[in-house]
Amino acid sequence: MSAMNRKHALAVVAGLLAMTVSTVAKPAEYQIAIANMKFGSPPAELHVGDVIVWRNDDIFRHTATARDASFDVDLPPKSQKKMTVERAGAVKFYCRFHPMMTGELNVQP
Ligand SMILES: [Cu+2]
């Protein structure tokens, strides 16, 4: 391999590595919509640092409240709020105004 080709090959490898790193490190954003008094399904794959956009499509006020008190998101009618996932583990959540509304997040480290 000539010096010129080797330099080019190294640049390509460095470029691929940079792409891989940025793909892994970038937090994902997911939406959980509330409609007809029900939480939509949470994302199957969720990691610490990801963002959840809670969106309330109902005409009622709801909350997304963690049983372990790690989050409590107030959602007036037709509103949405962003929340960064801060802890790994399974956490059940519910709506304070309608306790039969429930769901569970499963967060990987
Ligand atoms: Cu509610």
Side-chain angles (χ1 to χ4, degrees):
M1 201 186 273
S2 75
M4 197 65 184
N5 280 342
R6 190 171 300 141
K7 209 171 179 182
H8 180 73
L10 281 175
V12 170
V13 169
L16 287 172
L17 279 175
M19 277 168 66
T20 307
V21 167
S22 68
T23 305
V24 168
K26 196 179 178 209
E29 190 172 297
Y30 301 99
Q31 182 173 272
I32 299 177
I34 303 168
N36 303 314
M37 312 288 288
K38 278 184 186 163
F39 287 104
S41 326
E45 185 132 334
L46 195 57
H47 293 90
V48 172
D50 287 349
V51 171
I52 294 176
V53 180
W54 299 95
R55 196 185 82 207
N56 180 6
D57 289 339
D58 278 342
I59 55 169
F60 309 104
R61 183 180 171 194
H62 294 299
T63 69
T65 304
R67 297 264 182 222
D68 67 3
S70 58
F71 59 84
D72 184 18
V73 182
D74 187 32
L75 294 158
K78 307 290 178 190
S79 70
Q80 63 176 34
K81 277 182 193 153
K82 280 189 185 191
M83 176 189 101
T84 302
V85 177
E86 281 165 1
R87 302 188 199 176
V91 55
K92 291 184 159 67
F93 59 88
Y94 68 107
C95 170
R96 280 190 277 118
F97 303 117
H98 314 100
M100 69 288 196
M101 290 175 58
T102 60
E104 183 170 351
L105 300 179
N106 215 318
V107 183
Q108 314 296 316

XYZ file of all heavy atoms in Angstrom:
841
model
N 0.857 -1.202 0.000
C 0.000 0.000 0.000
C 0.886 1.242 0.000
O 1.835 1.318 0.776
C -0.871 -0.009 1.258
C -2.099 0.854 1.114
S -2.993 0.955 2.656
C -4.051 -0.455 2.577
N 0.630 2.154 -0.852
C 1.412 3.399 -0.884
C 1.048 4.254 0.335
O 0.011 4.035 0.971
C 1.113 4.169 -2.161
O -0.143 4.776 -2.055
N 1.910 5.173 0.638
C 1.672 6.056 1.782
C 0.357 6.825 1.618
O -0.394 7.023 2.566
C 2.831 7.019 1.944
N 0.114 7.211 0.381
C -1.095 7.991 0.094
C -2.353 7.163 0.388
O -3.282 7.631 1.029
C -1.069 8.415 -1.387
C -2.007 9.531 -1.726
S -1.537 11.058 -0.881
C -2.881 12.102 -1.392
N -2.326 5.888 -0.090
C -3.477 5.014 0.125
C -3.695 4.719 1.605
O -4.821 4.636 2.078
C -3.304 3.702 -0.633
C -3.660 3.868 -2.107
O -4.332 4.834 -2.467
N -3.182 2.959 -2.932
N -2.579 4.530 2.327
C -2.690 4.226 3.750
C -3.343 5.404 4.492
O -4.214 5.212 5.327
C -1.296 3.950 4.331
C -1.349 3.399 5.738
C 0.000 2.938 6.226
N 0.543 1.884 5.378
C 1.828 1.789 5.042
N 2.692 2.684 5.476
N 2.264 0.813 4.285
N -2.943 6.580 4.135
C -3.505 7.788 4.757
C -5.015 7.852 4.507
O -5.813 8.121 5.402
C -2.831 9.021 4.161
C -2.766 10.198 5.105
C -1.893 11.283 4.519
C -1.824 12.482 5.437
N -1.027 13.547 4.846
N -5.383 7.533 3.275
C -6.800 7.569 2.910
C -7.586 6.517 3.698
O -8.652 6.792 4.237
C -6.951 7.353 1.401
C -8.373 7.374 0.957
N -9.101 8.545 0.903
C -9.211 6.380 0.594
C -10.328 8.253 0.499
N -10.425 6.952 0.299
N -6.984 5.302 3.774
C -7.652 4.214 4.500
C -7.849 4.595 5.962
O -8.912 4.356 6.538
C -6.831 2.932 4.388
N -6.847 5.200 6.582
C -6.965 5.627 7.981
C -8.082 6.657 8.155
O -8.849 6.602 9.108
C -5.640 6.217 8.480
C -4.577 5.185 8.853
C -3.278 5.891 9.199
C -5.049 4.325 10.023
N -8.173 7.559 7.205
C -9.218 8.590 7.281
C -10.604 7.954 7.217
O -11.517 8.340 7.940
C -9.044 9.605 6.152
N -10.740 6.926 6.355
C -12.038 6.240 6.243
C -12.375 5.540 7.555
O -13.493 5.648 8.063
C -12.010 5.226 5.069
C -13.249 4.336 5.106
C -11.915 5.968 3.743
N -11.387 4.845 8.140
C -11.621 4.135 9.410
C -12.006 5.135 10.501
O -12.960 4.917 11.253
C -10.370 3.323 9.823
C -10.519 2.832 11.257
C -10.178 2.145 8.877
N -11.288 6.243 10.576
C -11.593 7.254 11.592
C -13.012 7.790 11.412
O -13.741 7.985 12.382
C -10.582 8.395 11.512
N -13.404 7.968 10.176
C -14.756 8.459 9.888
C -15.810 7.465 10.341
O -16.806 7.847 10.955
N -15.578 6.180 10.075
C -16.529 5.145 10.495
C -16.628 5.082 12.007
O -17.715 4.966 12.563
C -16.103 3.781 9.947
C -16.312 3.579 8.442
C -15.683 2.273 7.984
C -17.802 3.588 8.101
N -15.489 5.174 12.695
C -15.491 5.152 14.159
C -16.283 6.325 14.724
O -17.091 6.163 15.621
C -14.051 5.211 14.697
C -13.296 3.884 14.706
C -11.859 4.104 15.145
C -13.987 2.887 15.641
N -16.072 7.487 14.162
C -16.782 8.676 14.632
C -18.292 8.490 14.460
O -19.073 8.842 15.342
C -16.299 9.910 13.881
N -18.692 7.896 13.336
C -20.127 7.671 13.100
C -20.694 6.708 14.128
O -21.764 6.911 14.669
C -20.348 7.078 11.702
C -20.387 8.117 10.610
S -20.293 7.346 8.981
C -21.835 6.456 8.955
N -19.938 5.623 14.411
C -20.388 4.618 15.367
C -20.554 5.240 16.744
O -21.577 5.078 17.396
C -19.367 3.457 15.457
O -19.130 2.992 14.138
C -19.888 2.331 16.309
N -19.561 5.988 17.183
C -19.598 6.607 18.505
C -20.790 7.553 18.618
O -21.538 7.507 19.584
C -18.273 7.360 18.794
C -18.426 8.253 20.017
C -17.151 6.359 19.013
N -21.018 8.374 17.623
C -22.110 9.343 17.739
C -23.468 8.630 17.721
O -24.406 9.061 18.357
C -22.034 10.401 16.638
O -22.299 9.806 15.394
N -23.565 7.486 17.017
C -24.827 6.741 17.004
C -25.124 6.173 18.391
O -26.240 6.235 18.873
C -24.759 5.571 15.986
O -24.410 6.122 14.732
C -26.079 4.850 15.879
N -24.094 5.653 19.049
C -24.283 5.032 20.355
C -24.589 6.089 21.416
O -25.456 5.915 22.244
C -23.023 4.224 20.752
C -23.082 3.811 22.213
C -22.904 2.998 19.863
N -23.876 7.210 21.369
C -23.974 8.189 22.443
C -25.227 9.059 22.359
O -25.644 9.623 23.352
C -22.735 9.084 22.431
N -25.824 9.125 21.193
C -26.946 10.062 21.037
C -28.203 9.547 21.760
O -28.654 8.439 21.488
C -27.250 10.231 19.550
C -28.104 11.425 19.288
C -28.384 11.600 17.803
C -29.299 12.786 17.615
N -30.124 12.640 16.418
N -28.759 10.324 22.666
C -29.969 9.869 23.342
C -31.154 9.823 22.387
O -31.270 10.662 21.487
C -30.205 10.907 24.438
C -29.206 11.976 24.244
C -28.345 11.660 23.079
N -31.991 8.844 22.578
C -33.178 8.724 21.732
C -34.333 9.487 22.362
O -34.344 9.745 23.567
C -33.550 7.256 21.579
N -35.274 9.885 21.529
C -36.466 10.567 22.030
C -37.696 9.734 21.670
O -37.850 9.315 20.529
C -36.562 11.959 21.394
C -37.639 12.813 22.039
C -37.611 14.253 21.549
O -36.595 14.939 21.777
O -38.590 14.677 20.929
N -38.513 9.448 22.672
C -39.708 8.645 22.464
C -40.928 9.419 22.924
O -40.839 10.261 23.809
C -39.643 7.343 23.270
C -38.467 6.477 22.930
C -37.331 6.491 23.720
C -38.499 5.645 21.822
C -36.239 5.686 23.422
C -37.420 4.842 21.504
C -36.293 4.872 22.312
O -35.221 4.086 22.009
N -42.050 9.076 22.359
C -43.280 9.736 22.771
C -44.223 8.715 23.388
O -44.356 7.612 22.883
C -43.925 10.353 21.539
C -45.196 11.111 21.862
C -45.703 11.849 20.637
O -45.318 12.978 20.379
N -46.538 11.188 19.884
N -44.820 9.088 24.507
C -45.901 8.275 25.065
C -47.135 9.163 25.086
O -47.185 10.157 25.805
C -45.574 7.758 26.482
C -44.322 6.868 26.443
C -46.764 6.978 27.042
C -43.868 6.354 27.809
N -48.096 8.809 24.264
C -49.306 9.621 24.146
C -50.391 9.064 25.055
O -50.511 7.854 25.237
C -49.778 9.633 22.703
N -51.155 9.963 25.642
C -52.325 9.567 26.423
C -53.555 9.919 25.601
O -53.694 11.064 25.144
C -52.389 10.320 27.768
C -51.115 10.073 28.571
C -53.631 9.908 28.559
C -50.972 11.002 29.783
N -54.404 8.926 25.387
C -55.652 9.166 24.663
C -56.728 8.271 25.251
O -56.446 7.133 25.644
C -55.478 8.867 23.175
N -57.944 8.790 25.327
C -59.079 8.020 25.854
C -58.773 7.391 27.209
O -59.068 6.219 27.446
C -59.501 6.935 24.849
C -59.847 7.535 23.512
O -60.576 8.536 23.440
N -59.316 6.974 22.437
N -58.129 8.198 28.073
C -57.847 7.773 29.447
C -56.896 6.583 29.533
O -56.973 5.798 30.478
C -59.160 7.419 30.189
C -60.263 8.444 30.060
S -59.922 9.930 31.017
C -60.180 9.311 32.686
N -56.020 6.465 28.551
C -55.043 5.364 28.588
C -53.678 5.858 28.142
O -53.582 6.640 27.201
C -55.465 4.240 27.637
C -56.493 3.307 28.214
C -56.782 2.174 27.226
C -57.929 1.305 27.744
N -58.497 0.463 26.688
N -52.637 5.341 28.811
C -51.275 5.603 28.360
C -50.966 4.728 27.145
O -51.308 3.538 27.137
C -50.265 5.230 29.462
C -50.240 6.184 30.624
C -50.828 5.851 31.832
C -49.602 7.415 30.506
C -50.809 6.723 32.917
C -49.559 8.299 31.588
C -50.165 7.953 32.792
N -50.322 5.297 26.150
C -49.813 4.498 25.040
C -48.684 3.607 25.517
O -48.143 3.793 26.605
N -48.320 2.619 24.683
C -47.257 1.691 25.082
C -45.936 2.423 25.232
O -45.588 3.234 24.381
C -47.047 0.601 24.043
O -48.242 0.256 23.446
N -45.199 2.108 26.285
C -43.858 2.700 26.428
C -42.903 2.054 25.423
O -43.170 0.955 24.947
C -43.471 2.344 27.856
C -44.320 1.182 28.231
C -45.547 1.212 27.373
N -41.794 2.737 25.105
C -40.835 2.161 24.170
C -40.255 0.867 24.719
O -40.032 0.745 25.922
C -39.753 3.236 24.041
C -39.954 4.141 25.197
C -41.385 4.052 25.602
N -40.029 -0.105 23.834
C -39.493 -1.408 24.254
C -38.056 -1.256 24.744
O -37.635 -1.920 25.675
C -39.558 -2.396 23.102
N -37.317 -0.380 24.099
C -35.917 -0.182 24.464
C -35.738 1.244 24.957
O -36.002 2.193 24.222
C -35.021 -0.439 23.259
C -33.551 -0.363 23.592
C -32.781 -1.562 23.026
O -33.400 -2.618 22.831
O -31.587 -1.419 22.790
N -35.313 1.371 26.189
C -35.194 2.683 26.807
C -33.923 2.689 27.646
O -33.642 1.728 28.356
C -36.418 2.898 27.696
C -36.773 4.283 28.206
C -36.956 5.261 27.057
C -38.064 4.208 29.008
N -33.139 3.754 27.526
C -31.875 3.836 28.256
C -31.810 5.132 29.053
O -32.444 6.120 28.682
C -30.692 3.765 27.288
C -30.552 2.439 26.599
N -31.169 2.165 25.393
C -29.902 1.306 26.956
C -30.892 0.922 25.039
N -30.121 0.370 25.965
N -30.996 5.107 30.110
C -30.738 6.319 30.885
C -30.220 7.394 29.931
O -29.372 7.114 29.090
C -29.719 6.042 32.015
C -29.298 7.332 32.703
C -30.304 5.057 33.024
N -30.761 8.581 30.033
C -30.366 9.683 29.160
C -31.340 9.908 28.008
O -31.336 10.963 27.387
N -32.177 8.895 27.715
C -33.197 9.078 26.676
C -34.260 10.073 27.159
O -34.397 10.320 28.356
C -33.874 7.747 26.334
C -32.974 6.814 25.533
O -31.913 7.269 25.064
O -33.334 5.633 25.389
N -34.994 10.583 26.196
C -36.021 11.571 26.508
C -37.398 10.993 26.195
O -37.592 10.382 25.140
C -35.782 12.863 25.690
C -36.951 13.829 25.828
C -34.481 13.522 26.133
N -38.312 11.159 27.121
C -39.708 10.786 26.864
C -40.519 12.057 26.736
O -40.454 12.943 27.589
C -40.283 9.917 28.004
C -39.557 8.577 28.054
C -41.789 9.694 27.808
C -39.981 7.699 29.209
N -41.261 12.150 25.654
C -42.216 13.239 25.498
C -43.588 12.676 25.878
O -44.128 11.819 25.197
C -42.247 13.765 24.045
C -43.247 14.906 23.912
C -40.859 14.211 23.609
N -44.097 13.138 27.002
C -45.446 12.747 27.433
C -46.428 13.674 26.743
O -46.302 14.899 26.851
C -45.594 12.883 28.945
C -44.672 12.028 29.755
C -43.469 12.408 30.276
C -44.870 10.658 30.164
N -42.913 11.358 30.978
C -43.742 10.280 30.930
C -45.895 9.727 29.957
C -43.614 9.006 31.487
C -45.768 8.465 30.519
C -44.647 8.113 31.269
N -47.394 13.126 26.044
C -48.351 13.964 25.314
C -49.772 13.587 25.701
O -50.180 12.431 25.573
C -48.154 13.789 23.805
C -48.825 14.898 22.998
C -48.715 14.634 21.515
N -49.748 13.710 21.099
C -49.639 12.886 20.049
N -48.560 12.866 19.327
N -50.626 12.075 19.735
N -50.491 14.570 26.186
C -51.877 14.346 26.593
C -52.827 14.831 25.497
O -52.996 16.026 25.285
C -52.145 15.098 27.904
C -53.569 14.908 28.387
O -54.337 14.126 27.822
N -53.926 15.636 29.441
N -53.458 13.876 24.818
C -54.405 14.211 23.742
C -55.839 14.345 24.261
O -56.748 14.648 23.496
C -54.379 13.120 22.654
C -53.091 13.161 21.844
O -52.432 14.213 21.839
O -52.753 12.136 21.227
N -56.026 14.076 25.544
C -57.382 14.120 26.109
C -57.798 15.546 26.464
O -56.979 16.468 26.470
C -57.452 13.247 27.366
C -57.662 11.768 27.038
O -58.082 11.466 25.904
O -57.407 10.935 27.934
N -59.086 15.690 26.779
C -59.585 16.989 27.240
C -59.577 17.051 28.768
O -60.077 17.979 29.375
C -61.016 17.273 26.706
C -61.964 16.136 27.098
C -60.991 17.464 25.193
C -63.437 16.453 26.858
N -58.980 16.013 29.402
C -58.846 15.974 30.851
C -57.390 16.179 31.235
O -56.496 15.834 30.481
C -59.295 14.612 31.410
C -60.646 14.189 30.941
C -60.771 13.206 29.965
C -61.797 14.781 31.452
C -62.020 12.805 29.520
C -63.048 14.396 31.006
C -63.175 13.408 30.038
N -57.178 16.714 32.434
C -55.822 16.825 32.961
C -55.365 15.456 33.464
O -56.125 14.750 34.125
C -55.825 17.833 34.113
C -54.468 18.093 34.711
C -54.626 19.110 35.834
N -53.411 19.255 36.607
C -53.379 19.881 37.791
N -54.492 20.404 38.300
N -52.249 19.988 38.436
N -54.139 15.099 33.135
C -53.553 13.847 33.610
C -52.194 14.131 34.235
O -51.656 15.239 34.099
C -53.351 12.863 32.450
C -54.614 12.381 31.809
N -55.585 11.680 32.475
C -55.063 12.490 30.522
C -56.572 11.371 31.642
N -56.282 11.864 30.444
N -51.635 13.097 34.867
C -50.229 13.162 35.275
C -49.574 11.842 34.880
O -50.249 10.826 34.709
C -50.041 13.337 36.801
O -50.439 12.131 37.477
C -50.823 14.533 37.335
N -48.268 11.889 34.730
C -47.467 10.667 34.625
C -46.613 10.668 35.885
O -45.667 11.447 36.007
C -46.602 10.685 33.381
N -47.006 9.832 36.839
C -46.417 9.870 38.179
C -45.801 8.518 38.511
O -46.479 7.493 38.431
C -47.518 10.207 39.214
O -48.143 11.437 38.836
C -46.946 10.326 40.607
N -44.527 8.541 38.870
C -43.836 7.288 39.196
C -44.248 6.806 40.579
O -44.368 7.607 41.511
C -42.330 7.488 39.144
N -44.472 5.516 40.717
C -44.789 4.923 42.035
C -43.655 5.156 43.024
O -43.892 5.294 44.218
C -44.997 3.406 41.906
C -46.167 3.025 41.038
C -47.419 2.747 41.845
N -48.495 2.338 40.951
C -49.752 2.759 41.056
N -50.112 3.587 42.028
N -50.660 2.361 40.206
N -42.407 5.188 42.504
C -41.270 5.401 43.406
C -40.925 6.893 43.537
O -39.881 7.242 44.056
C -40.042 4.599 42.937
C -39.481 5.099 41.603
O -39.995 6.099 41.054
O -38.518 4.490 41.107
N -41.809 7.761 43.036
C -41.673 9.217 43.154
C -40.468 9.781 42.385
O -40.083 10.926 42.608
C -41.620 9.656 44.618
N -39.895 9.007 41.467
C -38.725 9.510 40.730
C -39.122 10.542 39.664
O -38.276 11.288 39.201
C -37.925 8.362 40.122
O -38.718 7.583 39.256
N -40.406 10.564 39.261
C -40.892 11.643 38.399
C -42.378 11.875 38.621
O -43.085 10.992 39.124
C -40.580 11.379 36.911
C -41.179 10.100 36.357
C -42.500 10.053 35.901
C -40.407 8.947 36.271
C -43.035 8.884 35.371
C -40.936 7.765 35.740
C -42.252 7.737 35.295
N -42.815 13.072 38.308
C -44.233 13.429 38.435
C -44.497 14.542 37.422
O -44.162 15.695 37.660
C -44.513 13.893 39.872
C -45.986 14.189 40.085
O -46.830 13.735 39.280
O -46.298 14.894 41.075
N -45.057 14.169 36.283
C -45.239 15.115 35.183
C -46.702 15.517 35.101
O -47.582 14.672 34.919
C -44.775 14.477 33.841
C -44.917 15.473 32.699
C -43.341 13.975 33.951
N -46.948 16.792 35.262
C -48.323 17.313 35.196
C -48.668 17.627 33.747
O -47.912 18.306 33.053
C -48.399 18.577 36.063
C -49.825 19.075 36.194
O -50.771 18.260 36.189
O -50.001 20.307 36.299
N -49.815 17.113 33.278
C -50.173 17.264 31.865
C -51.580 17.830 31.694
O -52.559 17.078 31.652
C -50.073 15.902 31.159
C -48.660 15.325 31.071
C -48.711 13.817 30.883
C -47.890 15.990 29.950
N -51.678 19.143 31.609
C -52.978 19.733 31.316
C -53.517 19.208 29.978
O -52.746 18.663 29.182
C -52.670 21.234 31.223
C -51.378 21.417 31.945
C -50.613 20.134 31.760
N -54.821 19.371 29.741
C -55.396 18.894 28.478
C -54.620 19.419 27.271
O -54.190 20.577 27.266
C -56.816 19.456 28.491
C -57.107 19.709 29.932
C -55.806 20.021 30.588
N -54.443 18.582 26.273
C -53.798 18.963 25.004
C -52.422 19.606 25.211
O -52.102 20.643 24.643
C -54.700 19.941 24.225
C -56.116 19.459 24.002
C -56.181 18.315 23.035
C -57.614 17.798 22.848
N -57.636 16.537 22.082
N -51.624 18.971 26.068
C -50.289 19.512 26.312
C -49.259 18.396 26.190
O -49.612 17.214 26.145
C -50.200 20.115 27.713
O -50.239 19.092 28.687
N -47.996 18.774 26.125
C -46.933 17.767 26.169
C -45.739 18.302 26.935
O -45.508 19.511 26.986
C -46.544 17.310 24.764
C -45.964 18.379 23.868
C -45.526 17.778 22.530
O -46.140 16.851 22.015
N -44.451 18.312 21.972
N -45.009 17.372 27.567
C -43.817 17.751 28.327
C -42.722 16.722 28.114
O -42.996 15.535 28.018
C -44.134 17.844 29.820
C -44.736 19.183 30.180
C -45.012 19.348 31.640
C -45.893 20.574 31.848
N -46.720 20.475 33.052
N -41.476 17.232 28.096
C -40.314 16.366 27.924
C -39.732 15.996 29.268
O -39.688 16.814 30.186
C -39.221 17.094 27.130
C -39.459 17.109 25.652
C -38.230 17.652 24.927
C -38.519 17.772 23.439
N -37.305 18.040 22.667
N -39.261 14.753 29.352
C -38.647 14.271 30.584
C -37.424 13.439 30.216
O -37.504 12.581 29.355
C -39.667 13.392 31.312
C -39.158 12.744 32.564
S -40.354 11.520 33.190
C -39.574 10.013 32.605
N -36.299 13.706 30.854
C -35.109 12.883 30.632
C -35.113 11.719 31.618
O -35.355 11.914 32.808
C -33.831 13.722 30.807
O -33.875 14.811 29.883
C -32.585 12.897 30.533
N -34.883 10.532 31.101
C -34.879 9.332 31.943
C -33.569 9.293 32.722
O -32.493 9.316 32.142
C -35.017 8.065 31.068
C -34.946 6.812 31.917
C -36.320 8.119 30.287
N -33.669 9.265 34.058
C -32.472 9.432 34.879
C -31.985 8.174 35.587
O -30.861 8.140 36.058
C -32.711 10.549 35.893
C -32.541 11.913 35.220
C -33.095 13.062 36.030
O -33.604 12.827 37.142
O -33.012 14.198 35.533
N -32.848 7.165 35.692
C -32.417 5.965 36.422
C -32.755 4.699 35.653
O -33.802 4.623 35.027
C -33.201 5.797 37.722
C -33.160 6.876 38.691
C -33.847 6.329 39.939
N -34.263 7.421 40.799
C -34.946 7.253 41.909
N -35.328 6.049 42.261
N -35.265 8.286 42.645
N -31.894 3.709 35.839
C -32.151 2.394 35.250
C -33.082 1.603 36.167
O -33.183 1.884 37.361
C -30.845 1.648 35.067
N -33.774 0.651 35.571
C -34.655 -0.222 36.343
C -36.081 -0.127 35.847
O -36.402 0.646 34.953
N -36.931 -0.941 36.453
C -38.352 -0.924 36.103
C -39.058 0.057 37.034
O -38.806 0.068 38.241
C -38.944 -2.313 36.257
N -39.865 0.912 36.462
C -40.629 1.834 37.300
C -42.072 1.918 36.803
O -42.345 2.168 35.635
C -39.955 3.234 37.404
C -39.712 3.848 36.054
C -40.784 4.166 38.274
N -42.968 1.609 37.723
C -44.392 1.682 37.393
C -44.853 3.127 37.529
O -44.361 3.861 38.384
C -45.187 0.783 38.336
C -44.941 -0.704 38.113
C -45.847 -1.521 39.026
C -46.045 -2.939 38.543
N -44.846 -3.752 38.601
N -45.785 3.525 36.672
C -46.321 4.877 36.773
C -47.846 4.860 36.635
O -48.433 3.860 36.192
C -45.673 5.805 35.736
C -45.867 5.377 34.292
C -46.989 5.781 33.578
C -44.922 4.587 33.660
C -47.176 5.400 32.252
C -45.089 4.186 32.335
C -46.220 4.603 31.630
N -48.469 5.948 37.051
C -49.929 6.038 37.017
C -50.327 7.497 36.889
O -49.469 8.392 36.905
C -50.528 5.406 38.279
C -50.245 6.178 39.555
C -51.242 6.923 40.197
C -48.953 6.186 40.105
C -50.966 7.639 41.351
C -48.676 6.903 41.266
C -49.692 7.621 41.876
O -49.421 8.336 43.010
N -51.610 7.743 36.771
C -52.124 9.111 36.764
C -52.742 9.397 38.129
O -53.572 8.630 38.609
C -53.173 9.272 35.663
S -54.062 10.836 35.769
N -52.328 10.492 38.760
C -52.836 10.817 40.101
C -54.344 11.067 40.101
O -55.020 10.830 41.092
C -52.108 12.049 40.652
C -50.732 11.724 41.213
C -50.136 12.904 41.964
N -49.483 13.851 41.086
C -49.830 15.118 40.928
N -50.854 15.624 41.600
N -49.147 15.891 40.107
N -54.878 11.566 38.992
C -56.318 11.863 38.948
C -57.148 10.642 38.568
O -58.340 10.578 38.870
C -56.596 12.993 37.960
C -55.823 14.238 38.291
C -54.877 14.739 37.404
C -56.021 14.895 39.496
C -54.146 15.881 37.706
C -55.293 16.040 39.813
C -54.351 16.528 38.920
N -56.536 9.702 37.870
C -57.244 8.507 37.406
C -56.349 7.293 37.670
O -55.663 6.825 36.764
C -57.561 8.618 35.911
C -58.144 9.946 35.513
N -57.399 10.954 34.929
C -59.402 10.432 35.670
C -58.180 12.018 34.729
N -59.395 11.726 35.166
N -56.352 6.822 38.915
C -55.371 5.786 39.323
C -55.482 4.479 38.532
O -54.567 3.666 38.576
C -55.697 5.550 40.799
C -56.475 6.749 41.229
C -57.206 7.257 40.030
N -56.568 4.285 37.812
C -56.637 3.074 36.973
C -55.807 3.205 35.708
O -55.592 2.222 35.007
C -58.102 2.728 36.628
C -58.800 3.696 35.699
S -59.174 5.286 36.531
C -60.369 5.977 35.390
N -55.332 4.421 35.444
C -54.414 4.607 34.310
C -53.003 4.262 34.770
O -52.445 4.958 35.635
C -54.426 6.058 33.827
C -55.707 6.480 33.149
S -55.692 8.246 32.750
C -54.246 8.376 31.704
N -52.441 3.196 34.208
C -51.119 2.748 34.670
C -50.226 2.358 33.496
O -50.695 2.157 32.379
C -51.247 1.505 35.583
O -51.850 0.458 34.847
C -52.066 1.808 36.827
N -48.954 2.242 33.784
C -47.979 1.775 32.800
C -46.673 1.487 33.503
O -46.555 1.656 34.719
N -45.693 1.041 32.730
C -44.399 0.716 33.322
C -43.278 1.021 32.337
O -43.364 0.690 31.162
C -44.359 -0.772 33.697
C -43.060 -1.172 34.382
C -43.092 -2.585 34.971
O -44.179 -3.201 35.009
O -42.030 -3.056 35.379
N -42.238 1.669 32.841
C -41.035 1.903 32.047
C -39.991 0.870 32.435
O -39.857 0.537 33.612
C -40.440 3.304 32.318
C -41.298 4.522 32.024
C -40.514 5.780 32.389
C -41.731 4.549 30.564
N -39.268 0.391 31.444
C -38.189 -0.540 31.704
C -36.905 0.052 31.167
O -36.684 0.058 29.957
C -38.507 -1.872 31.012
C -38.011 -3.018 31.852
O -36.919 -2.951 32.406
N -38.811 -4.063 31.949
N -36.089 0.584 32.052
C -34.947 1.400 31.635
C -33.631 0.623 31.790
O -33.318 0.131 32.880
C -34.879 2.709 32.460
C -33.733 3.583 31.982
C -36.207 3.451 32.413
N -32.893 0.510 30.685
C -31.549 -0.098 30.711
C -30.529 0.970 31.088
O -30.763 2.153 30.804
C -31.182 -0.649 29.326
C -32.270 -1.477 28.643
C -32.608 -2.733 29.387
O -31.731 -3.444 29.856
N -33.905 -3.006 29.504
N -29.410 0.578 31.666
C -28.371 1.563 32.024
C -27.844 2.311 30.810
O -27.946 1.837 29.708
C -27.262 0.718 32.632
C -27.868 -0.604 32.955
C -29.026 -0.781 32.049
Cu -55.582 11.023 34.268
